[in-house]
């Protein structure tokens, strides 16, 4: 078990917990899978995770059905699930994963997954994927500089429309702006 493979395995598990809570995976499906895995065979565990991660890696919708979740799952690009190695775990560890999955993962900053992925990849793998974590303030500054001037005038009009809604105007222009 290499440290990179182990880290990627854990990151895939954590990503599934997050994805379920923000409804990128069907609500409750991964938690139910972990709950069942505590009493099923290691082969069921291996097959279930492998099937899920392969489905998440497929762009073609016809290949994204996950049997154990009884659901069609979304495609996630970026190669996190391209070589999804699954490790057998003792039942008590699966129980710990279940307890973690029961927590609310919605408030986890998604960028942390990029940081974790970057840390476990070798330099060659990072170069191949173009994987480099960029902190949120840098991205916000770049987006603001690129699109800010274009959108500021439009945003000001929307804000004015909202103010019109709060204190109703006879023309009703504010409601029209928000609907457009």
């Amino acid at each position: 078990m290499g440290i990179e493979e182990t880290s990627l395995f854990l990151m895939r598990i954590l990503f599934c917990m997050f994805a379920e809570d923000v409804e990128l995976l069907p609500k409750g499906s991964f938690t139910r899978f972990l709950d069942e895995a505590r009493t099923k065979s290691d082969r069921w565990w291996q097959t279930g995770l492998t099937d899920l991660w392969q489905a998440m890696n497929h762009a073609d919708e016809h290949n994204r059905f996950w049997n154990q979740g009884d659901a069609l799952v979304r495609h996630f690009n970026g190669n996190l699930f391209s070589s999804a190695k699954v490790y057998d775990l003792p039942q008590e560890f699966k129980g710990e994963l279940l307890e973690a999955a029961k927590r609310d993962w919605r408030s986890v900053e998604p960028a942390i997954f990029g940081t974790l992925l970057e840390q476990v990849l070798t330099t060659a793998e990072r170069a191949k994927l173009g994987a480099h974590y960029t902190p949120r303030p840098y991205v916000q500054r770049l987006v603001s500089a690129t699109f800010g001037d274009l959108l500021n005038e439009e945003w000001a009009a929307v804000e004015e429309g909202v103010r019109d809604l709060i204190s109703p105007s006879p023309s009703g222009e504010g409601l029209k702006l928000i609907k457009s």
Side-chain angles (χ1 to χ4, degrees):
M1 227 192 277
I3 191 150
E4 287 93 7
E5 286 181 353
T6 305
S7 297
L8 284 169
F9 170 75
L10 184 56
M11 188 174 8
R12 289 180 192 111
I13 294 281
L14 296 176
F15 180 84
C16 289
M17 292 175 189
F18 169 79
E20 177 184 59
D21 283 353
V22 296
E23 298 186 34
L24 294 173
L25 283 176
K27 194 74 174 156
S29 61
F30 192 68
T31 301
R32 279 191 304 278
F33 169 77
L34 291 173
D35 188 30
E36 287 185 51
R38 294 176 308 141
T39 60
K40 301 276 186 172
S41 68
D42 287 337
R43 186 170 187 161
W44 189 89
W45 162 259
Q46 284 265 343
T47 302
L49 282 180
T50 300
D51 288 352
L52 172 61
W53 292 343
Q54 285 177 350
M56 292 166 77
N57 192 52
H58 274 286
D60 180 15
E61 187 174 312
H62 292 90
N63 294 315
R64 293 200 319 256
F65 185 78
W66 179 38
N67 285 325
Q68 283 82 346
D70 192 28
L72 192 65
V73 297
R74 292 181 185 218
H75 169 243
F76 295 91
N77 63 6
N79 291 326
L80 178 60
F81 300 102
S82 63
S83 61
K85 182 165 180 52
V86 176
Y87 293 103
D88 288 330
L89 297 176
Q91 300 301 355
E92 62 269 16
F93 287 9
K94 293 173 188 172
E96 293 297 323
L97 290 176
L98 173 62
E99 289 307 310
K102 289 178 181 178
R103 304 281 188 244
D104 184 357
W105 287 80
R106 289 176 295 177
S107 60
V108 172
E109 175 64 43
I112 196 168
F113 295 108
T115 305
L116 292 171
L117 178 61
E118 185 178 355
Q119 290 175 356
V120 299
L121 295 174
T122 65
T123 304
E125 291 169 325
R126 277 197 307 272
K128 178 181 160 193
L129 295 174
H132 178 71
Y133 172 68
T134 306
R136 179 178 281 240
Y138 293 0
V139 173
Q140 288 173 324
R141 189 176 328 148
L142 177 64
V143 170
S144 179
T146 306
F147 298 105
D149 292 341
L150 299 171
L151 297 175
N152 284 340
E153 188 176 314
E154 193 173 324
W155 183 247
V158 169
E159 285 178 326
E160 182 63 32
V162 170
R163 279 192 282 282
D164 287 351
L165 281 175
I166 293 170
S167 61
S169 69
S171 68
E173 289 299 314
L175 186 56
K176 290 178 191 172
L177 272 173
I178 290 174
K179 287 183 177 178
S180 65

